[in-house]
Amino acid sequence: MAAITPMTGMHNAKLVKEVLSADVVSRAVGAALDTVVATKVAGWSGVRLSDDLLENLKRVSAAGSCSAKLTVDGESKDFDTASASHKIHPFCEEQGIQFSCIEGTCGTCAVDVNEGSKNLNSLTDAEVAFFGDAESAGNKRLACQVQLKQGATGVVDIEK
């Protein structure tokens, strides 16, 4: 989850206005506000947005929309990520990836993420318990635990 910290000046307000074009504002700001945590916000001029959040806003503005393409063993599906994250396991199951527990304990659905891991949620507690830690997991994920992030853009390539 992105975080904001207080700062003085108008730097971030100006940056946000430069990053977002008018036709994207409603979608991008709605998605961004869902991910921002604040203790005291008096408007854009009183906050500093995290680098990750600013990068996502830049990608949304450049793309003109929030959509991600998930490719599983060569088959693709587009997801509208503007207003919500998406669990990937239904599409993975359609592509023949086997599932058993759907709770992240059995490892049946372990997949390799070849591209686009920045568009996915962080390792869940179940994945950390299964793999040991992020370093041990490498590019492996449990498809039952993976979600495309809200606001994700680009391609995510996964294979069994």
Side-chain angles (χ1 to χ4, degrees):
M1 183 176 290
I4 56 177
T5 56
M7 74 175 272
T8 59
M10 298 291 289
H11 174 74
N12 276 345
K14 183 179 176 188
L15 183 57
V16 168
K17 288 176 187 174
E18 290 173 1
V19 168
L20 298 174
S21 60
D23 63 327
V24 178
V25 169
S26 62
R27 290 188 309 257
V29 171
L33 289 177
D34 287 342
T35 63
V36 174
V37 175
T39 56
K40 183 177 180 182
V41 177
W44 288 110
S45 63
V47 298
R48 175 174 164 73
L49 302 178
S50 73
D51 291 340
D52 287 343
L53 183 56
L54 285 173
E55 182 60 34
N56 283 340
L57 291 173
K58 287 177 188 176
R59 286 189 294 147
V60 168
S61 180
S65 67
C66 292
S67 65
K69 179 178 286 199
L70 175 62
T71 302
V72 177
D73 291 335
E75 295 294 323
S76 297
K77 179 177 179 177
D78 290 320
F79 289 85
D80 178 2
T81 59
S83 61
S85 60
H86 294 276
K87 293 183 178 188
I88 69 163
H89 81 265
F91 181 67
C92 290
E93 194 166 35
E94 289 172 16
Q95 303 314 312
I97 292 177
Q98 298 294 309
F99 290 84
S100 186
C101 70
I102 309 291
E103 296 170 3
T105 57
C106 72
T108 303
C109 63
V111 294
D112 291 312
V113 178
N114 296 323
E115 178 182 353
S117 61
K118 68 182 179 208
N119 291 313
L120 304 176
N121 61 315
S122 300
L123 288 177
T124 63
D125 291 342
E127 288 177 297
V128 170
F130 183 80
F131 293 116
D133 59 25
E135 189 174 318
S136 297
N139 67 338
K140 292 270 190 203
R141 295 294 303 266
L142 299 177
C144 67
Q145 299 293 300
V146 176
Q147 293 185 30
L148 288 169
K149 290 180 185 176
Q150 181 178 350
T153 59
V155 174
V156 175
D157 181 44
I158 293 175
E159 67 180 329
K160 181 66 178 157

